[in-house]
Amino acid sequence: MLQKNINDLLVFLSVAKERSFTKAASKLGVSQSALSHTMRNLEGRLGIRLLMRTTRSVAPTEAGELLLKSIAPRVDEMEQELSRVIEFKQQPAGTIRLTADEHAANFILWPKLRNFLREYPDIKLEIDVDIALKDIVSEQYDAGVRLGELVHKDMIALPISPEIRMAVVASPNYLEKRSLPKKPKDLLKHQCINLRLPTAGNLYAWEFDVNQREVKVHVEGQVICNTLTQMLQAAYDGFGFVYVPEDEVRIAIQQGRLIRVLEEFCPSIPGYYLYYPNRRQHSFAFSLFLKIFQQQN
């Protein structure tokens, strides 16, 4: 029975994890109709419904959830064991999937990984740039990079950067006819470029250190973004102040393209951590990847 059902079970796992026939079909490189046909055959042979389908969503039934929890870890373990076979090749290969926010991807990961990729041309790297706190296990990432205070406690966490200093900047064009803020609350009189957080959907409150006390300022402005690139472009175009990591704007400040204010009030926040599940074995490619960051600690 197993031999007859193994491929169909892999299809079920993909659809159940993605909660979508469309996403699963894209990932597996087959048509949605083929996946639907496979699932009907599997459910017919087992004599039980595994997936609930509506026009808007797909979700495992109670029996499907039980099967998912039972076989998914075993399939993951088999995939990990198969990946170890790569060690017998002269040149390591495989795909490493990472999720990181935009700043970490640009300033922490890429400067180290570009040489790594040149050294191992058969290793592929996929970086999903997103500020959302994703579940790297359920979404099948090898690792994630987030600020230390945001890393889940059940993960192995490796510090990979110093503390991050923040900066408040605006363009000379914006400040041409406006007075400079002298204290954080003065920002309430200015246009500021906000960041929309992906989880609760709230706007990020700018954090300052005033007399060794944390002060949060809920700024307002015409522009709301969800990426650093958008925020910085709006700042360059004169739409107000922006609150970003210092190294994102250091060169622009030196060149006079942006003007920094409130420097004495801007705090340093915990640095970035590389985090990943506590697995007994990793792929050879991922083990090589980890060495890059373990060597700096």
Side-chain angles (χ1 to χ4, degrees), residues 11 16 29 47 64 72 81 95 98 100 129 132 136 143-144 149 158 174 183 204 223 228 247 260 268 272 278 296:
V11 167
E81 292 298 333
T95 298
L98 307 175
V129 176
I136 62 173
E149 59 188 1
L158 184 68
Y174 172 78
K183 54 185 183 298
Y204 177 66
V223 180
L228 280 173
D247 47 12
R260 184 171 189 176
S268 294
Y272 285 103
N278 186 7
Q296 74 180 50

Side-chain angles (χ1 to χ4, degrees), residues 275-290:
Y275 66 101
Y276 52 95
N278 186 7
R279 294 171 177 163
R280 287 173 296 179
Q281 291 181 324
H282 297 287
S283 70
F284 187 35
F286 187 70
S287 296
L288 291 171
F289 162 81
L290 281 180

Side-chain angles (χ1 to χ4, degrees), residues 46-216:
L46 296 179
I48 192 169
R49 177 68 66 84
L50 298 175
L51 295 173
M52 292 294 295
R53 309 164 178 84
T54 69
T55 56
R56 295 185 177 182
S57 64
V58 176
T61 62
E62 184 177 357
E65 193 67 44
L66 180 64
L67 182 62
L68 177 64
K69 291 180 179 179
S70 175
I71 67 174
R74 292 174 171 82
V75 172
D76 288 342
E77 187 172 353
M78 285 190 291
E79 289 180 342
Q80 292 169 30
E81 292 298 333
L82 287 172
S83 70
R84 302 294 293 181
V85 176
I86 297 172
E87 294 189 49
F88 293 97
K89 295 182 61 175
Q90 184 176 3
Q91 188 74 0
T95 298
I96 299 172
R97 298 188 70 234
L98 307 175
T99 176
D101 67 36
E102 191 174 10
H103 178 249
N106 291 336
F107 286 85
I108 307 300
L109 288 178
W110 188 246
K112 294 181 178 296
L113 293 181
R114 56 192 173 200
N115 290 332
F116 172 78
L117 293 173
R118 291 189 183 105
E119 185 176 357
Y120 301 107
D122 290 335
I123 293 179
K124 295 181 179 180
L125 175 68
E126 179 180 345
I127 303 180
D128 180 11
V129 176
D130 195 337
I131 60 175
L133 294 176
K134 294 189 173 183
D135 184 338
I136 62 173
V137 175
S138 66
E139 300 197 34
Q140 298 181 307
Y141 292 100
D142 292 293
V145 176
R146 291 293 183 269
L147 294 172
E149 59 188 1
L150 301 177
V151 175
H152 296 300
K153 301 302 182 184
D154 59 344
M155 293 285 161
I156 296 177
L158 184 68
I160 60 173
S161 85
E163 291 186 336
I164 309 299
R165 183 81 189 279
M166 301 302 291
V168 178
V169 295
S171 70
N173 180 42
Y174 172 78
L175 291 170
E176 187 176 1
K177 297 181 180 180
R178 295 175 174 88
S179 60
L180 296 178
K182 302 299 183 184
K183 54 185 183 298
K185 292 293 184 181
D186 291 343
L187 291 169
L188 298 176
K189 303 173 185 177
H190 283 270
Q191 288 285 310
C192 296
I193 300 157
N194 265 303
L195 172 68
R196 176 77 68 184
L197 297 174
T199 48
N202 298 328
L203 298 180
Y204 177 66
W206 296 10
E207 300 171 348
F208 297 96
D209 186 355
V210 180
N211 297 324
Q212 298 184 337
R213 182 172 59 90
E214 183 185 82
V215 173
K216 293 186 177 183

Side-chain angles (χ1 to χ4, degrees), residues 234-250:
Y236 287 128
D237 290 339
F239 284 92
F241 285 105
V242 69
Y243 181 84
V244 295
E246 182 182 63
D247 47 12
E248 288 277 356
V249 292
R250 184 178 291 115

Side-chain angles (χ1 to χ4, degrees), residues 10-48:
L10 293 176
V11 167
F12 161 72
L13 281 178
S14 183
V15 176
K17 287 180 178 180
E18 297 291 342
R19 298 295 201 268
S20 166
F21 276 93
T22 302
K23 292 181 180 179
S26 176
K27 184 175 181 180
L28 296 174
V30 298
S31 67
Q32 295 182 50
S33 59
L35 290 192
S36 296
H37 180 72
T38 298
M39 283 306 309
R40 284 195 296 271
N41 286 344
L42 177 61
E43 291 174 329
R45 288 196 301 273
L46 296 179
I48 192 169

